[in-house]
Amino acid sequence: MLLSALIFLPLVFAIVIAFCPKDKIVQPLALIFSGLLFALSMVLLFNFDPSTAAIQFAEKANWIPQLGIKYFIGIDGISLWLVILSNFLLPLVIIGSAKSVTTKIRSFYAALFILQASMVGSFLALDLILFYIFFESSLIPMAMMIGIWGGDKKIYASFKFFIYTMFGSIFMLGSIICLMLLNKTVTGSLSSDVLELYKMDIAFIDGRLFSTQTLLFLGFAIAFAIKVPMFPVHTWLPDAHVQAPTPGSVILAGVMLKMGTYGFMRFAIPLFPEASQQLSWVFSFLAVIGIIYGALVAMVQTDIKKLVAYSSVSHMGYIILGLFAFNELGMTGGLYQMLNHGLSTGALFFLVGMIYDRTHTREISAYGGLAKILPLYSIFFLVVTFSSIAVPLTNGFVGEFYILMGAFLANSVWGSLGVIGVILGATYMLWMVKKVFFGEENPGLLEHKLSDLKTSEFLVLVPIVIMIFWMGLFPNHFLQYSQKSISNLTENVSNYELTLHDKDRKELISQKNNNL
Amino acid sequence: MQPTVKFIDFLLVLPMITLFVFSLLPIALKVFVRGNEEAKADVNVSLSVFGVFISLVLMIMFHGRIFSDGVFFAFSQALVFDQFTFLSSVLCYVLSILALPFILNHPSIRKSQLSEYVFLYLNSLLGMMIMLASNDLIMTFIGLELMSLCLYMMITMNHEIHHSKESAVKYFVLGSMASAILLFGISFIYGSAVMISNGQIITNYSTLVEVASQLIATDRIFLIGYALVLIGFGFKISMFPFHTWVPDVYQGAATPLTLYMATAVKIASILALARFLMLDVLNDSFALSTTLQWIAVLTMLIGNMGALAQSSMKRIFAYSSVAHSGYILVGLIALALEGGPFTANIESLVLYLLGYGLFSVGTFGFLSFLEKSFDDDIQLDSLKGLFYRSPWTALGLTFCLLGLAGIPPTLGFFTKFYIFSTAMGEGLYWLVLWALINSVIGVYYYLKPIVLMFFYQSEEDIYLADNHFQKIIFLTVGFLSLVGGILLPVIL
Amino acid sequence: MITTLFYILFLSPILGFAINGINFRKSNAMLAGIIGTSAVLISFIAGVLLFKEMLNVENKVLTVHFFNWLSVGSFNAPASFLMDPISGIMTLIITGVGSLIHIFSAGYMSHDPRPFKYFAYLNLFIFNMLLLVLGDNLLVTFVGWEGVGLCSYLLIGFWFSDEKKAAAGMKAFITNRVGDAGLLIGIFILFSQLGTVNYYELNQYATSLTMESGWFGPITLAMIFLFIGVAGKSAQIPLYVWLPDAMAGPTPVSALIHAATMVTAGVYLLIRLSPVLVLAPNAMMVVAIVGAMTALLGALVGITQWDIKKILAYSTVSQLGYMILGVGVGAFIPAFFHLMTHAFFKALMFLGSGSVIHSMHEEQDIRKMGGLAKLMPITHLTFFIGWLAIIGLPPFSGFFSKDEILFYTYASKSSSILLWIVGVIGAGCTAYYMTRLMCLTFWGESRVSKEVHPHESPISMTFPLMVLALLAAFAGLLGIPHVISEVLPGHPPNILENLLKPYVAKISKHEVTASVEWMLMLISVLVAISMAVLSYMIYVKKTFNIEAITKKISFAHKLSYNKFFVDEFYFARIINPIVLGSKALWLHIDVMFIDKITYFITDVIRTGGTHNKSLQNGNFQNYAFYMAVGIASFLIMVFAF
Amino acid sequence: MPSLESISQIGLNHFLYLSSVLFVIGLLTVLMRKNLIVILMGIELMLNAVNLSFIAFSSYAGDVHGQVIVFFVMTVAAAEAGVGLAIAVAIFKKFKEVEISFFQKLKG
Amino acid sequence: MISAALFYGFSAFIIIFALAVLFAPNPIVSALSLAATMVGVAGLFFALGSHFIAAVQITVYAGAVMVLFVMVLMLFDLKKEDAVSAMYVRFLKISVAGVILGLISGAITLSGFASNTTIMSVDTASVTPTKKLAVLLFTKYLLAFEVLGILLLVIAIGVVSVSRIKGGTHAKS
C-alpha cells in the first residue's frame, strides 16, 4: 500500500491544491503535503530490508488482462534511493519556488505534484507499459512548467523538450510491443511484467549487428539516451534548462534525467544483456564524448544556467560510463552519481535561481566580486561547486571515483579518457566561480541592493549541504541498501532474475486466494 | 430452396424499423399536428434522441440478451447479426446520440426545417445500420447510398449559404463518382464469382468467402473488382489519395454535422469496409496488402502534414481525422491479414474507433459551441488563454487532444497501443514503426491548441455558447478520455 | 589511548576550522590567532605523544581504523591511518612548523579584515595535510592530496578582490587537478594489478613481483602516472608553473604550504611507495631526470628575479627538484632528510621575507630594499642562518641533506655522472642567487624609499623565526653520514637513517671509498662558497658591473628573467587552443549541426504541409483527377505483383 | 493480334471492353467538363457502364441476380440524379451559376 | 450468341454518343446524346436477352431521368460553356483515363472470358426470366426492395426541403 500511496497521494494533493480557495495558503499547504510524502518515503526507508536483492513492498493486480497490462509496482535497492531523492527534493523545491513562482500559483503546485506522481511512478513501475505510461505522462506537467512559468523563449523550449523526448520514447514503445509479442510466443500469454520478461532470452547472434535483441535494445536505448541526455541528442537540455523556472530546472536536473539512467539500469541492460554488452563500447564512447564535450562546451558559455546545463550533460555522461562498465564498482558509482548529481546540480540551479531573482540576469559578465557582497551565498555556492567538481569528502568524489575506477577496470582506455573530465570539470566551474564571485565588484550589481540569504533559502540549502558531506563521508550508509541489488545485477547480468520478497509473495498469494 | 420470411427476421430488424418510424414522427408532427408549423427545436431533437435510444435498447435486448450467442441471418442472408454487427451498431448508435444534441440552437442549423433535418439524420443512421448488418454487397451499397444521400442533403440545408453548398457539391459529385467505382468493382466481383458459382446469391459475403481464394488464384478480374471496391470504400474513409474532399467538406458543413460525419458516418463506413476485408483476400494477394500498407503510411503522412500547415481549427481536425484513418488502416490491414470471422483484432479496431469517436466528438463539439454565427471559422489564435477564461472547457479539450495524440495516460494511448500491438502480431513491423513516427509528428499540432490555451493570456473575450447538453457531453468525453485507460478493463 | 590521540590529532584542527569558520565575519585577529594556533598546537602535542608511542612499539607502526569509507566488492579503502617513522616525522613537521607559522600569522595578519577566515583555512589545511601523510591507503592520501590543493586554492585567492590573485589560485588548483588525474590513473593501475590500495599491502605484494625492464609494464606505467601527480603537487617540470604564482597568497601561507609541507607531499608519496617504485627503473630514471632538470631550471630562473618571494619560490622549485632527484636515484632517506631540513630553512626564509615585507609595507621588490640588517637585526640573523643552510655550508642542515643526495646521485647504480654535474651546477646557482638576495635585502647601502620606515617585527613574528633558525641550524645533525661521523668524536649515529631504513626500499650503489666521498663534498662546498663570494662581490663590493655582464649575455638573461617563457608557451599552445576549440565545438556541433538536423527534419515536414496546401486548391475536378490517378496507380500496383 | 474468329465471335469480354470504355468516358466527363449538370451526366454514364457489365455477366452466366442488381442500381442512380439536380437547383436559385470554377472557395 | 454486326453497330452507336456527351460544347447536346447512349445500352440489354431491364432502362433513364436533366438545363438556360482547361491538363487527364482503361481491359483479356461466347438462357420450362426476376425481387431481395422504397421516400422529402431553402440570412457572391 505504501508505494501506491507514494504514487497516488500526490495526485490527490494536486487536486486538492487545484481547488484550494485562496492563493495565500497554497504554498504552505503544498509544503505540508510534500513533508508528508517525505515522511512516507522515510517510513519506506526504515522498513526496507537491505539484506536482499528481491523486490519489496510489491503490489500486483491485473489491470487490463486483454493487453497483458498489470498494475505491478515494487521497490528494490536500485529504485529506493531515486524515490527518496525525488521525495527529498520536493519540499525543497516548494520552499524554493515561493520566490520564483508568483503567478498562477495553484496550477503550478498542482502540476508539480502531478509531475512528482509520474516520476515516482516510473521509478516504481515493474510493468513495462505501466512504466511507459508514467514515463510519458511526466512530459506534460514538465512541458507546462517550462511553457507557463518559463523564460522568454519558453514556447520553443517546451515544444523542443516535449517532441524530442516523445520521439525517443516512441521507439521504446515499439520494442516494448515486440517484447510482449515475443514473450507471448514463449509463454502463450500477453504480458509486460518485467520479472517475467527478464526470464525470457531473446535471439541474439553474436558478432552480427542487428539481431533481434540488438534492435529491441536500441529501441529502449534511444528513448533513455535522449532522456539522459547522451551526447548527440542532448540539445534539448540547455534550452529546457535555460527557459525553465528555477523549480522546473531543479526537478528536471535532479530527478527527471535520472529516469533515463534508471531506465538503462532497470530495463535496457538486464532485459538485453548480450546486446548491451555488444554495444557497450558505443555507449561508453558516447559517454566519454559527452563528458569531455559537455565540459568543453560548458567552458565557453556566458549564461550561468546554460553552463550548469552543459555540466549536467557531462555528469550524466559519467553515469552512463559507469553503467556500461558492467562491474560492481561502475554500477554502484553510476547509481551513487545519480543521487549526487541530483543534489549538487539541483542545488546549483537553486543558487542560480536565487541570484537570478535578485538581479534578473544570468549573464556571467554581469557579475563579479559577489563574494564580498553576499558572503554566505558565496560560501554555499562554493561548497556546492566543490561537490560538483568531485572534491573528496563531498558526495561527488565517491561517485566519480567509483565510476572511473569501474570504467578503468572494464576498459582502461575509456577509464583514462573519462579522467580528463575531472580536470575540465574543475576548469569550467572554477572559471565561473572566479568570474562571478571574485575580482572587483561589478558596478552593475551595486544598483539593486542585494541582500544575503534569507531563512527560506537557508532551509533549502542547508539540508542539501548536509547531505553532500554525509554522502561524501559515509557512502556506505546509503549504498548498503543498494549493494545487494547491484551485485545481483552485475554478477548475473546474462541470466538476470528478480524475485519478490518473501513477505510480499505470501501476501500476494493470500490476496489471490481471497479473490477466488 | 424455399425462401420465406420468418418472424424472427422482423424481430432482428425491429431496431431499424423503430428508427424509421421515429424518423417519420417529427415530420408527422409538423404536417398533421401542427399544421405545417415547426415544432420546438428541443422537442424534435429529444424525440429523435429518444428514438435512437429506444432502438439502441432494442438492439441490446435482442443481441445482448436473446441472441447473445451465435450468428443470425435475416431475410435470406441479406443481413447478418453477429457480435461484430452488434458492437459496431452500438458504437454508431452511441456516437450519433452524442452527436445529436449539438444541433440544438447551433447558429447554422435551420430552425425552420429542423424536422426534415432530424428525419434525414435518423435515416442516414438507418442507412448505417443496414450497411453494418449487411451480409451482401448489394445491401452494403444500398445502405451506403441511403446514408450518403441523406448527408448530401443535410449539408445543403445549412444556414450558411456559400460554403455549405460548395461542400455539398464537392461531396456529392466525388461521392457519387466513388460509388460508381464501387459498383463497377461489385460488378466485376459478381461476374467473376458467378462464372464458377451455382445459383446462390453471389454477392453474398458468406458465399464469397468460400470462393474468394479460388478466384484470386484464377481470375484477374476479381482482384480488379476487389481493388475498385476498396477504392470506393477508401473514399468514404478518406484514405490517400481519395481523402482530398475531407478538409473542404468538413469545413463547409455545419459543425454539428461535421461532428456526425467525422464520427458516426466515418466509423460506420470503416466497419463496413472491415466486414468486406474479412473476405480474407489480403492473405492471398501480396499485391493488395502491400499497396494498402503504403496507402496507410501515406494517409498518415498527408494527414499530419496537412494539419501542420493549417490555421483553422476545423481544418486541423479534419486533417487529423485523415491521419487517424491512416492509423485505422493499420488496424484494418491487421484484421484482414488475420482474416476469418470475429477475432481479437476486431476488438482492437472497435476500441480504437470508440476512442477516436469520443475524442472527435470532443474536438468538434468544442468548436460547435465556440461558434457564435453560422459563418465564423474558429482560428487557432482565438484559443489564446482559454484556460484562464473557462478552465473546464480548456481541460476537456486538452484531454481530447491528448487522447487523439495518444499520449498516456489518456484512453488514446491504450487504443493506439492495442491496435499497434495487434498489427505487430501480424508482423507489420515497418508499418507500425511508421505509424509511431507519424504519431510523433501529430503531437506537434495537437499540442499547439493546448499551448495556446495555457501559455498565453487572451486578448479578447472568448464566446462560449452556454448549452448544457453540449457542455455535459463535452466534459464527459474529456473525462472519459482521461480515465478511459483505467476503465478499459470495464469497456473490454 | 592511541585512538584517542589520533582523534585529537585530527579533530582539533577541524574544530578550529569550524569555530573560526562560524564567525568568519568578525575581525578580531588576536582571538582568531589564539583559536587557530591552539588548535594546531594541541594536535602537535598529540602528534608528539603518538610519536613516542610509536617509538615504543617494537615494529614502530601504529595503525588505527576509524570507519569504512569506500568499500565496494573487492575494492576497500577504509578511513584508517597508520603512523610509522616516515609519517610520524611528517606529522611533527606539519604540526610543529604549522604551529610556528600560525603564531607568525597572528602577527602578520593583525591588520587583515577577515582573520577568522584565514585561520579557518589554515586549520583546514593542517587537517588535510595530516590526512595526506597519515592515511594508510592511497585513497585517504588522495583525499588529503585534493584537500590541501583546495586549501591552497582558497588561501592563494585569499585576497580575492584582486582578480590576479584569484586567477593564481585557480591556476594552482587546475594544475594540481592535472596532476591528480594522473595520480588517479596511477591508483587505478595499481589496484588493477595488485588488487589493493593499502600502502603496506602494496609494498608487500610488490616484493613478490619481478623488476620491470620495459616502458609499458603496468608498474612502470602506474609509477609514471603517479609521478604526474607528484609533479603537479611538488611543482616539477612541466607542472611547476603554479608555484611561483602561488606567491600571491599571504606570505605565511607561502611558508607553510608552498615551502614546508604541501609541496613535499609528492616526495613523501614516492618515498612511501619506494618498494614499488624500485621495481620500475625506467620510471625512476624519468623521476631522476625531471628532478635534476627542475633543480637546474629553478636555480637558473632564481638568479634574475627581483621579487623576493619569487626568488624564494623558484628556489623552492629547485630544492624540490633535488628531493625528486634523490628519490629518482634511490636516495630515499636523503631525499626525506632534505625534505625535513628544507621545511625548516625554507619556512624560515619565507617567514623572514614575510617579516621584511611586513615592515616594508607590502613592498616585495628587492631593488627597493638594502641595508635592512641594522634595522631589523633578528630577522637578519635568522635569515642569515637560513642562507647558510640553503647554500649548504657545513655544519648547517642543508649541507648534510643536499650532499647526501648529491653523493647518491654520484654513487647510485641507477644514476649517472651527468645528473651529479647538473646537481652541482644547481647548487652553485643556488648559492649565487641566495647570496644575491641577502646582499640586496640586508646588506649594502639602503635603497629604501623615504616614506617607508622599516622596523623590527613584533615578538609574535620574530619568535617563530628564532625557533626555525635553531632547527635550520642543527637539524642536520639528525643525519650525519658515516664518513663524517667516523672522524667526529663519539661517532654520532645517523639517527634518521636508522629510523627509516626498514621502511624504504634499498637500492644497490657502487662501492665508493671514503676519500671519493670527501672529494665530492669538498667540490660542492667549494662551488657553493665561490659562487656566494662572486655574487657578494658583484652586489655589495660592486667589483664587476653586473649591467655590463647582463648586456653581454642578454639573451640568456632575458630567457631566465622571463622564466624561459613557459607560461606564455602554455597559454599560446595549450590553453587558448582549447578554449577556441571549445567555442568552435559548441558553435559547429551543437548549434550548427545537431540543432540544424532537427530543424531540417521539421522543415521537411512543414514544407510537405505547404505543398499539400497547394495541391488542395479547392477545385473538386482536380480532386477527382487525384482520385483517378489513385485508381490508376492502385491498379498498376495490383498488376505489378 | 486478335484473330478474326475472336472478333466475329461476340463473347462476354467484348461487352466488358465496351462497358469499361463507357465507364472511362463517363470518368473523363467528370474530369473534364466544367458544367455541373454535365458532370452529373458523366456519372450517369459510369453507372450505365456498370449496368452493362452486370447484364453481360448475368446473361452469359445465365444467372438472373445480375438483372435484379441492375434494377436496384437504376433506382439508386435515379435517386442520385434527383438529389444532384436538387442541389444544383438550390445553388442556381441563389447564385445563377453552376460553373464548377465557382466552387473554389474552400481550399488549403 | 449474338451476331457481330449487331454488337459492333450498337457499340459504335454508344461510344459515339458517349463521346458526344463528353465533348459537345453545349450541355443540351450532351444531354440528348446521353439519352441516345442510354437507348443504345438498352438495345444491348435487349440483345442480351434481358428484356425487362431493357424496358426499364428506356422508361426510367431515357425517360424520366433525361427529362429531369433537360428540364433543369432549360431552367438554367445556360449558354454554351466557354471555359476549357489547358491542353496539357486535358492530355494528362485523358492519358490517366487511358491507363485505367488499359489496365481494366488488360485484366479482362487475361481472365479469359473470350472462351465463353454462348448466352445461357435463364428461362426454364415454367418461368420466364422476367417472372423469375420478379420472384427473386419479392423473396430474396425483399429487404433491399423495401429499403429502396424508404430511400425513395427519403429522397422525395429531402429534395423538396432542399429546394425549398431560401438562401441564408446573408448571401456571399
Side-chain angles (χ1 to χ4, degrees), chain D residues 20-94:
Chain D
S20 40
V21 169
L22 201 51
F23 187 84
V24 168
I25 291 175
L27 187 65
L28 273 175
T29 318
V30 176
L31 287 184
M32 288 164 71
R33 292 305 292 263
K34 296 274 176 286
N35 185 324
L36 183 58
I37 309 298
V38 182
I39 287 174
L40 293 184
M41 295 178 191
I43 291 167
E44 293 301 331
L45 268 182
M46 294 165 82
L47 289 172
N48 267 289
V50 172
N51 290 351
L52 185 52
S53 68
F54 264 119
I55 293 294
F57 275 121
S58 75
S59 38
Y60 273 94
D63 170 276
V64 84
H65 292 102
Q67 300 188 17
V68 183
I69 295 172
V70 169
F71 182 73
F72 293 150
V73 172
M74 283 179 175
T75 330
V76 171
E80 265 181 1
V83 172
L85 291 172
I87 294 174
V89 169
I91 293 163
F92 189 80
K93 268 164 61 186
K94 191 71 207 165

Side-chain angles (χ1 to χ4, degrees), chain A residues 156 160 164 167 231-233 235, chain C residues 587-605:
Chain A
Y156 163 77
K160 197 172 180 180
Y164 228 113
F167 179 77
F231 160 59
V233 288
T235 46
Chain C
L587 204 65
H588 290 103
I589 293 189
D590 247 39
V591 178
M592 293 308 223
F593 187 60
I594 299 174
D595 268 7
K596 273 279 186 296
I597 288 174
T598 46
Y599 296 149
F600 174 73
I601 294 165
T602 48
D603 288 350
V604 165
I605 295 163

Side-chain angles (χ1 to χ4, degrees), chain E:
Chain E
M1 177 65 200
I2 55 174
S3 75
L6 189 63
F7 174 75
Y8 286 118
F10 267 117
S11 39
F13 180 81
I14 291 170
I15 291 175
I16 287 165
F17 277 105
L19 287 174
V21 175
L22 172 53
F23 289 115
N26 186 337
I28 298 292
V29 177
S30 11
L32 294 177
S33 32
L34 178 64
T37 322
M38 287 168 168
V39 172
V41 173
L44 276 186
F45 288 174
F46 203 89
L48 282 169
S50 52
H51 313 106
F52 177 70
I53 297 299
V56 175
Q57 169 89 357
I58 297 281
T59 49
V60 173
Y61 263 125
V65 177
M66 285 325 301
V67 169
L68 204 56
F69 271 100
V70 174
M71 193 201 71
V72 170
L73 283 174
M74 293 308 175
L75 180 70
F76 296 174
D77 69 356
L78 297 163
K79 64 215 80 57
K80 60 189 282 296
E81 67 184 37
D82 41 9
V84 172
S85 49
M87 194 55 217
Y88 76 96
V89 177
R90 314 177 82 192
F91 172 74
L92 210 61
K93 288 173 172 174
I94 291 173
S95 49
V96 167
V99 169
I100 294 174
L101 175 58
L103 288 167
I104 293 175
S105 36
I108 294 163
T109 327
L110 287 178
S111 50
F113 290 134
S115 59
N116 177 335
T117 58
T118 54
I119 304 174
M120 309 278 178
S121 115
V122 288
D123 55 359
T124 53
S126 60
V127 286
T128 62
T130 313
K131 182 174 180 193
K132 190 149 193 242
L133 188 150
V135 170
L136 269 182
L137 202 55
F138 291 106
T139 55
K140 278 187 177 174
Y141 286 103
L142 175 62
L143 184 70
F145 190 74
E146 297 304 330
V147 172
L148 275 178
I150 293 176
L151 177 68
L152 289 178
L153 172 66
V154 171
I155 295 301
I157 296 176
V159 166
V160 169
S161 53
V162 164
S163 43
R164 261 182 69 244
I165 59 169
K166 342 192 161 17
T169 54
H170 83 313
K172 295 218 203 77
S173 55

Side-chain angles (χ1 to χ4, degrees), chain C residues 427-506:
Chain C
C429 300
T430 311
Y432 177 82
Y433 66 75
M434 287 321 287
T435 322
R436 171 170 174 267
L437 176 60
M438 285 302 289
C439 304
L440 291 177
T441 316
F442 292 100
W443 308 333
E445 77 288 1
S446 171
R447 295 175 302 281
V448 181
S449 55
K450 291 296 147 286
E451 54 273 14
V452 292
H453 306 294
H455 53 80
E456 184 53 83
S457 305
I459 177 69
S460 66
M461 288 165 74
T462 46
F463 167 71
L465 289 177
M466 296 184 250
V467 179
L468 284 169
L470 290 176
L471 288 168
F474 306 116
L477 306 180
L478 289 172
I480 303 169
H482 296 292
V483 274
I484 303 177
S485 61
E486 273 156 17
V487 299
L488 289 179
H491 306 304
N494 186 339
I495 304 164
L496 203 63
E497 185 160 6
N498 302 344
L499 207 54
L500 298 181
K501 233 182 180 38
Y503 304 98
V504 298
K506 300 168 196 45

Side-chain angles (χ1 to χ4, degrees), chain A residues 156 160 232 234-235 293 296-297 310 372 386 389-390 392 397 401-402 405 419 422 430 439-440 472-473 475-476, chain C residues 67-72 75 142 146 150 153 160-161 163 173 177 181 188 191-192 582 586 590 594-595 599:
Chain A
Y156 163 77
K160 197 172 180 180
H234 63 277
T235 46
Y293 177 85
L296 285 178
V297 172
Y310 275 110
K372 244 209 189 78
F386 292 145
I389 66 177
F397 172 72
F401 180 79
Y402 279 162
M405 187 147 204
V419 173
V422 175
L430 291 183
E440 287 301 322
L473 272 172
N476 293 339
Chain C
F67 58 89
N68 268 339
W69 183 42
L70 301 179
S71 62
V72 168
F75 177 80
F142 188 80
E146 286 248 328
L150 183 62
Y153 164 74
F160 54 75
S161 318
E163 188 159 355
F173 193 87
R177 261 297 166 111
F188 295 158
F191 179 76
S192 57
S582 339
W586 181 53
D590 247 39
I594 299 174
D595 268 7
Y599 296 149

